[in-house]
Structures are given as C-alpha cells and as structure tokens.
Amino acid sequence: MIDVPLSRFEELVAEALDTVPPDLAKVMDNVVVVVVDDPPEPGLLGLYTGIPLTERGEWYSGVLPDRIEIYRNPTLEICETEEDVVEEVQITVVHEIAHHFGINDERLHELGW
C-alpha cells in the first residue's frame, strides 16, 4: 500500500480526465467527478450514479448532475507505487466515464477494461 495525499490523488484524477479525447469530453453532459476516500461497499474503486446518455430522452431536464466517484483508499490499498496509482486511476476514470456513455461492465470487460 502506498500513501498518496488527497490533493495529489485529486491531481491524478484530473490528469486522467485530461486524457479523455476532446470529442468525447465535449459530449459528456451534466456529470461531476469527485474523489471520495471510501466506497459505499467494499471492493469498489469507482462508481457511476446517474442516467447514462443513451437512456436520456426528451423528458431529461432539470435533474441533478450524474456523479462519478473515484475511491482513494481502496485504490491506494492495491497499489505499491505512485505509477501503480496513476494506472489504476486512469483505468477507473475510463471505466466510470464509459458507464456515463451507457457502456455496461460486460462490454467493458470484452473491450479489455
């Protein structure tokens, strides 16, 4: 396990978000990404909560933003180096953004994520 201060971990999440291709970043809509120390249940590194873009219809308006949470403590527990953390954060951010685009876990695993 490695210790990465919250401020540095938040920087790593921001850097991972910066790697999202601009064409995809442009169509991300009404979503916030936050760092949280601990997940609501063990084993999670990230969690998407909201209505995926593929499920939004004409009725979609005036709703709170979707939420992507990246969990710091479980990520640090499985990493030995900061390079490991960078890689794990990148994977988790991509995984949760994919859920925002309506891609489920099964398809992500098929794609190698």
Side-chain angles (χ1 to χ4, degrees):
M1 180 173 158
I2 184 172
D3 182 30
V4 175
L6 178 60
S7 60
R8 176 65 181 141
F9 193 87
E10 290 172 333
E11 287 174 11
L12 296 177
V13 170
E15 290 169 9
L17 288 167
D18 287 343
T19 68
V20 174
D23 290 345
L24 289 179
K26 275 194 278 188
V27 295
M28 288 179 65
D29 183 45
N30 200 30
V31 61
V32 62
V33 179
V34 296
V35 171
V36 177
D37 277 339
D38 297 302
E41 59 185 76
L44 293 178
L45 301 181
L47 181 66
Y48 168 77
T49 307
I51 301 168
L53 295 176
T54 55
E55 296 178 19
R56 296 178 185 180
E58 293 179 16
W59 56 267
Y60 185 86
S61 67
V63 299
L64 292 174
D66 291 2
R67 185 175 173 96
I68 292 174
E69 294 180 347
I70 307 298
Y71 301 116
R72 180 173 160 261
N73 288 333
T75 301
L76 299 180
E77 286 173 9
I78 65 169
C79 295
E80 295 181 17
T81 66
E82 187 164 314
E83 291 78 26
D84 293 342
V85 176
V86 168
E87 182 178 348
E88 231 17 90
V89 165
Q90 180 69 42
I91 290 167
T92 305
V93 166
V94 167
H95 186 98
E96 302 311 326
I97 288 173
H99 289 322
H100 177 67
F101 283 99
I103 302 171
N104 64 25
D105 282 333
E106 182 179 308
R107 182 65 179 137
L108 282 168
H109 292 291
E110 289 172 4
L111 296 170
W113 289 97

